[in-house]
Amino acid sequence: MDEAKNFIEEIIEKDLEEDVYGQRVHTRFPPEPNGYLHIGHAKAICTDFGMAKKYNGKCNLRFDDTNPIKEDTEYVESIMEDVKWLGFQWDELHYASNYFDKLYECAVELIKKGKAYVCDLSAEEMREYRGTLTEPGKNSPYRDRSVEENLDIFERMSKGEFADGEKVLRAKIDMASPNITMRDPVMYRIAHVHHHKAGDKWCIYPMYDFAHPISDAIEGITHSICTLEFEDHRPLYDWFLEQLEWKEAPKQIEFSRLELTNIVTSKRKLLKLVQDGIVDGWSDPRMPTIAGLRRRGVTPDALRTFCYETPLTKNKGVVEFAFLEHLIREDMKLTQPRIMGVLDPLKVVITNYPEGEVEYLEAENNQEVPEMGKRQIPFGREIYIERDDFMEEPPKKFFRLAPGKEVRLKHAYFIKCEEVIKDENGEVIELRCTYDPETKSGTGFTGRKVKGTLHWVSATESVDVSVRLYDHLFNEDEESGESILNENSVEVLEGCKIEASIKDAEPGSRYQFFRHGYFIIDTEDTKDGNIVFNRIVSLKSSYKPPKK
Ligand code: ATP
Ligand code: MG
């Protein structure tokens, strides 16, 4: 079936048809290394790399490191790791800071053409002169400096003769333009700060709007894909390249940012969560960062599918987090083994089962995928079941265990509850049951039926682990739609009992725990024989995927 094309594909295909860039398609992903990438960036990565892949083109990774104040090499490394983990490999790796010389030359060229000038207005004065959406701006008194004077001052700015904020270089465009971005925007500012890559060579730094089109052009980018907030900047993007007479100038295309319910995607807000210690770093499994999603257990396949299946348009829209969860379940349903884990154990003694005996019962690793093979699970006189699978005084439709009631144990036998043991506070601490050897799973027993099937583990052969259950980091206020921090976004359970088959599993291994959801062995906190599981997603879902 022919998939409907999105608007970016339409633009690219038209350009290919008209030979605008020959038959070249060259995109780039240009993160600023000032934080870890989040799920919104995953959407941008899949779009930038995805388009290049689809049209046999190239995609660069370019660090947009023109603002030295907030940037760090830690972020550079995490970004490369995240892009690779998502399954992409860049054709070229670049840093905008490598273009500082070239950008300086371009600025000089614009000054010589009378298209840029040094302005001494303070930041506040500049704001006043800029005008508003309804009023035109006023020309700066420095707008008519001669080319010679501008060249001289700009050079002296670069040599460190002036203090931060004393002067800026501005493009000379139109202070009355209805588009405020075009009202003589700043191209260079003075900042006496160390740059993570360029060192102390520069004390003037180019602004994004000036650096970006030129960086794209230097790399031979054809389609410069970004998000909608840059739409108003496109005329400026085009203006710089036009003034510099760039041939085959790249084309900026904007799409609407990915937004999700229960998620904040702003590096600034995420950084605050990290700095305030609300989360355990950028890779906390609750974080919407790629590192957090990875540690949570989300697969790159599920995340890519999510990015491709959410709309790529110019319309704003919020995607339900439940859609991502749905895709995570879909991705793991047929790929991960299904085992048994008891999160809140209640001991069951099977009184008619021989003491000290262990038998091994055969279980399919994934009932829907026979190729995944089988394993043997130990069964014995003492087992654990989930505490809330027993009720002393059950309501009508409770089909799990209760005094005198019979249930099926998954992969094993029917058991019947004969006696309830309590401690001095009246709390149930043990159940005495009998089992019926005739009802062994897989033997085709049809003598009688039971409604409930419980998961369980052997008390002597299971592994003790910690399990973390997650909830959203933010809830949305029903009225204002604002994100409110959820104080209970993680619940840590100790002393959970998991099937012995996981004993030697590597951190990062994923499982479905029967009736509980999908889990991963945490890669950072699993150590010294203490296994920690993160719940990736529960099995329950009210989410209905849209019909295709
Ligand atoms: P933030 O506001 O979270 O700091 P940013 O846009 O400043 O994000 P950049 O490092 O500049 O972060 O982004 C790199 C690329 O990722 C840009 O092209 C940007 O448009 C894109 N991007 C960022 N957030 C999203 C999002 N939510 N959805 C889609 N693309 C995004
Ligand atoms: Mg940005």
Side-chain angles (χ1 to χ4, degrees):
M1 196 183 73
D2 225 15
E3 293 255 328
K5 287 189 187 77
N6 63 55
F7 80 104
I8 300 183
E9 290 166 340
E10 278 171 7
I11 295 173
I12 294 178
E13 290 187 17
K14 186 157 177 285
D15 286 346
L16 286 170
E17 233 165 74
E18 295 173 3
D19 254 346
V20 176
Y21 302 101
Q23 288 302 297
R24 286 188 320 114
V25 173
H26 201 155
T27 59
R28 86 287 168 266
F29 172 61
E32 187 178 353
N34 63 350
Y36 279 59
L37 298 182
H38 53 60
I39 190 164
H41 295 112
K43 173 90 181 175
I45 293 169
C46 287
T47 305
D48 296 327
F49 284 89
M51 289 298 155
K53 205 167 179 175
K54 175 155 188 181
Y55 296 102
N56 274 322
K58 289 183 176 178
C59 183
N60 296 354
L61 173 62
R62 180 196 318 138
F63 288 102
D64 175 21
D65 57 351
T66 51
N67 179 2
I69 294 152
K70 296 175 292 181
E71 294 161 3
D72 205 311
T73 39
E74 175 197 348
Y75 300 137
V76 168
E77 272 148 37
S78 76
I79 289 170
M80 294 202 269
E81 185 185 352
D82 290 350
V83 172
K84 285 195 260 185
W85 178 79
L86 250 190
F88 297 105
Q89 181 57 55
W90 47 89
D91 290 283
E92 299 164 22
L93 175 67
H94 293 293
Y95 294 83
S97 58
N98 285 343
Y99 307 139
F100 281 165
D101 286 324
K102 179 70 188 171
L103 289 162
Y104 184 82
E105 275 172 37
C106 290
V108 168
E109 187 181 332
L110 290 176
I111 295 173
K112 286 183 179 159
K113 287 183 163 162
K115 298 292 180 184
Y117 63 97
V118 174
C119 182
D120 300 4
L121 291 180
S122 68
E124 198 179 316
E125 287 166 328
M126 255 199 340
R127 244 191 315 278
E128 276 167 33
Y129 275 73
R130 189 173 298 132
T132 63
L133 281 172
T134 49
E135 281 167 58
K138 284 186 300 187
N139 283 352
S140 157
Y142 304 97
R143 203 172 195 261
D144 295 318
R145 272 180 166 147
S146 69
V147 168
E148 289 67 38
E149 191 183 357
N150 280 318
L151 284 173
D152 173 60
I153 311 177
F154 186 53
E155 188 182 354
R156 284 161 51 209
M157 276 167 69
S158 77
K159 291 197 166 136
E161 283 189 28
F162 307 105
D164 291 4
E166 221 179 300
K167 293 178 190 319
V168 292
L169 183 72
R170 297 175 74 175
K172 198 173 189 175
I173 308 179
D174 178 7
M175 288 306 291
S177 170
N179 181 347
I180 294 182
T181 311
M182 299 296 276
R183 295 183 188 168
D184 291 9
V186 175
M187 293 164 57
Y188 265 94
R189 68 196 190 291
I190 301 172
H192 291 265
V193 283
H194 183 85
H195 187 278
H196 79 109
K197 239 173 148 274
D200 295 312
K201 178 169 177 196
W202 296 91
C203 63
I204 56 169
Y205 290 96
M207 304 300 286
Y208 173 90
D209 280 336
F210 175 61
H212 207 81
I214 296 172
S215 305
D216 281 346
I218 292 172
E219 292 174 21
I221 300 303
T222 56
H223 300 85
S224 180
I225 304 167
C226 62
T227 36
L228 269 186
E229 68 271 23
F230 295 106
E231 197 168 32
D232 286 349
H233 300 236
R234 189 179 349 129
L236 181 55
Y237 182 101
D238 293 339
W239 186 88
F240 281 124
L241 295 175
E242 211 175 288
Q243 300 308 317
L244 292 163
E245 295 168 65
W246 218 287
K247 296 208 179 57
E248 290 200 359
K251 179 174 288 177
Q252 178 179 301
I253 306 170
E254 313 86 14
F255 68 96
S256 165
R257 289 174 90 84
L258 172 70
E259 283 193 57
L260 276 159
T261 56
N262 304 95
I263 285 254
V264 299
T265 50
S266 145
K267 277 184 273 187
R268 188 176 47 80
K269 289 185 188 156
L270 296 176
L271 176 64
K272 192 156 184 332
L273 292 174
V274 173
Q275 284 172 340
D276 294 352
I278 288 167
V279 295
D280 169 25
W282 287 98
S283 68
D284 184 298
R286 291 166 293 176
M287 287 283 268
T289 51
I290 296 182
L293 293 165
R294 170 168 65 232
R295 186 166 160 206
R296 174 75 167 261
V298 178
T299 61
D301 281 355
L303 191 51
R304 269 199 319 271
T305 306
F306 174 76
C307 293
Y308 290 136
E309 300 225 337
T310 46
L312 187 63
T313 65
K314 280 183 174 283
N315 309 327
K316 294 207 169 137
V318 182
V319 178
E320 274 193 72
F321 193 80
F323 180 50
L324 176 61
E325 294 184 326
H326 164 75
L327 293 175
I328 296 169
R329 287 186 200 102
E330 286 293 299
D331 176 62
M332 292 191 290
K333 194 166 72 181
L334 303 181
T335 53
Q336 307 306 336
R338 299 176 183 181
I339 66 170
M340 295 195 285
V342 175
L343 303 189
D344 185 9
L346 174 61
K347 186 177 255 184
V348 171
V349 177
I350 299 168
T351 51
N352 61 339
Y353 197 88
E355 230 160 306
E357 200 170 303
V358 177
E359 82 179 290
Y360 285 86
L361 302 168
E362 196 167 73
E364 280 174 317
N365 287 327
N366 186 324
Q367 292 89 313
E368 293 184 56
V369 190
E371 305 86 76
M372 287 179 74
K374 293 180 176 175
R375 68 186 185 287
Q376 305 289 320
I377 16 184
F379 182 78
R381 186 178 158 91
E382 295 192 355
I383 63 169
Y384 290 108
I385 64 165
E386 212 67 61
R387 183 165 290 276
D388 67 7
D389 277 340
F390 170 79
M391 272 183 104
E392 202 172 7
E393 290 164 29
K396 241 196 175 139
K397 291 214 163 149
F398 189 81
F399 298 121
R400 291 171 270 166
L401 204 55
K405 290 277 163 58
E406 196 172 39
V407 293
R408 178 200 310 273
L409 293 179
K410 180 84 178 164
H411 301 306
Y413 300 95
F414 289 10
I415 56 167
K416 187 174 174 191
C417 178
E418 310 282 359
E419 194 186 340
V420 180
I421 313 284
K422 297 179 184 177
D423 65 10
E424 62 269 26
N425 302 319
E427 186 151 345
V428 178
I429 49 168
E430 189 181 303
L431 302 177
R432 299 269 161 95
C433 295
T434 50
Y435 88 116
D436 178 355
E438 297 284 301
T439 59
K440 185 169 176 177
S441 171
T443 59
F445 174 77
T446 52
R448 62 186 181 280
K449 287 198 166 130
V450 287
K451 277 205 166 150
T453 300
L454 305 189
H455 62 276
W456 56 276
V457 294
S458 152
T460 50
E461 309 284 317
S462 54
V463 185
D464 265 42
V465 307
S466 315
V467 171
R468 297 190 290 223
L469 304 180
Y470 296 107
D471 196 357
H472 297 302
L473 203 44
F474 290 94
N475 287 320
E476 251 125 74
D477 184 80
E478 299 234 328
E479 269 169 33
S480 67
E482 252 174 77
S483 299
I484 305 165
L485 195 68
N486 175 7
E487 303 286 341
N488 303 307
S489 52
V490 59
E491 185 185 353
V492 183
L493 308 174
E494 303 289 352
C496 306
K497 312 275 184 186
I498 315 292
E499 255 186 49
S501 61
I502 63 128
K503 201 163 7 195
D504 301 314
E506 295 289 327
S509 303
R510 296 181 181 87
Y511 301 91
Q512 183 192 117
F513 290 177
F514 186 59
R515 296 169 69 216
H516 279 305
Y518 293 96
F519 292 78
I520 186 169
I521 302 182
D522 189 79
T523 47
E524 287 179 40
D525 294 334
T526 296
K527 47 185 162 228
D528 310 324
N530 178 34
I531 301 176
V532 180
F533 275 94
N534 301 330
R535 181 154 73 185
I536 310 168
V537 65
S538 70
L539 289 178
K540 282 189 243 90
S541 170
S542 53
Y543 183 78
K544 299 263 179 306
K547 287 215 173 65
K548 284 208 178 157

